[in-house]
Amino acid sequence: FLFYKTYNRQQLPASADMVLVIDVKKNTNNILLWYLQHPSKWGMVFSKNKGIMGLAKHALNIPDYLCFFHSAGQPATNLYCLLSLKEEPAFEQLLTNLDFKEQKNTTGERMFFSEKTGIGIIKKNNQVLVGNIDLKDLSLFHSVAAELFFQQQFMAEELLKKITRPAN
């Protein structure tokens, strides 16, 4: 539960030229240790999750390694993250609360965009690709989605092991 970590090679496309990996379990362990050392803060842990973070917790599965990536040949500001869906109703409520609007799409997946945050979402089955994009870059966003969802071109296993090997 707290120590064994897994990663999924299908989180990163082959075109990823920059990757930021967050070790979620290591951060969770550090937070738990901090709370154990500070009992006066325990009320925060046992309070009910409300609002956006509570919805996100029910809507999306957060993997052991949270991977943000940039695809080669795209503007430096375009970063992406692939997550999986946990509960469809919570996901729909999260989109509504964050003012996401569904975009017209002919490729078979559902596309949402929030002009307020500049974040786009493409959902195919139970996979959710999230990216901070500009509306003029929708074709670039779709190319990343096509690489992950249809072409299924993923990062090499050896490179992913090298990325997740360090303790920090």
Side-chain angles (χ1 to χ4, degrees):
F1 170 69
L2 294 174
F3 302 104
Y4 297 105
K5 297 176 253 189
T6 59
Y7 58 86
N8 184 352
R9 189 171 82 90
Q10 297 174 346
Q11 281 183 281
L12 296 169
S15 69
D17 61 352
M18 288 186 279
V19 179
L20 169 68
V21 178
I22 299 173
D23 187 340
V24 174
K25 281 198 175 177
K26 181 175 179 78
N27 287 325
T28 302
N29 290 343
N30 288 339
I31 291 168
L32 286 174
L33 180 62
W34 185 85
Y35 276 114
L36 288 174
Q37 293 171 343
H38 298 88
S40 63
K41 305 294 185 192
W42 287 6
M44 293 170 35
V45 175
F46 298 111
S47 65
K48 296 265 185 203
N49 280 336
K50 295 184 180 182
I52 300 299
M53 292 308 291
L55 270 176
K57 180 181 170 185
H58 293 291
L60 301 167
N61 286 316
I62 305 298
D64 294 341
Y65 291 101
L66 191 56
C67 299
F68 295 91
F69 61 90
H70 175 268
S71 271
Q74 295 199 10
T77 56
N78 290 10
L79 295 174
Y80 305 96
C81 181
L82 185 65
L83 301 169
S84 62
L85 192 64
K86 189 186 275 186
E87 294 178 16
E88 183 77 33
F91 178 72
E92 295 292 335
Q93 185 64 44
L94 183 65
L95 292 175
T96 302
N97 287 4
L98 294 174
D99 297 323
F100 278 87
K101 305 288 185 243
E102 190 159 3
Q103 303 290 308
K104 300 284 185 216
N105 192 357
T106 59
T107 57
E109 65 267 346
R110 293 178 67 195
M111 163 109 191
F112 305 91
F113 188 77
S114 169
E115 289 186 35
K116 184 172 29 172
T117 61
I119 294 175
I121 294 175
I122 295 179
K123 178 187 171 290
K124 174 123 172 72
N125 300 329
N126 71 334
Q127 292 184 309
V128 178
L129 179 64
V130 180
N132 64 324
I133 58 162
D134 202 348
L135 271 175
K136 65 180 174 25
D137 292 335
L138 285 181
S139 62
L140 298 173
F141 194 32
H142 284 289
S143 69
V144 173
E147 185 177 5
L148 288 167
F149 299 149
F150 299 110
Q151 300 162 358
Q152 297 189 349
Q153 296 174 342
F154 306 114
M155 183 174 280
E157 183 80 24
E158 298 78 33
L159 184 55
L160 188 55
K161 283 181 183 177
K162 190 175 183 181
I163 290 171
T164 57
R165 187 177 310 132
N168 310 357

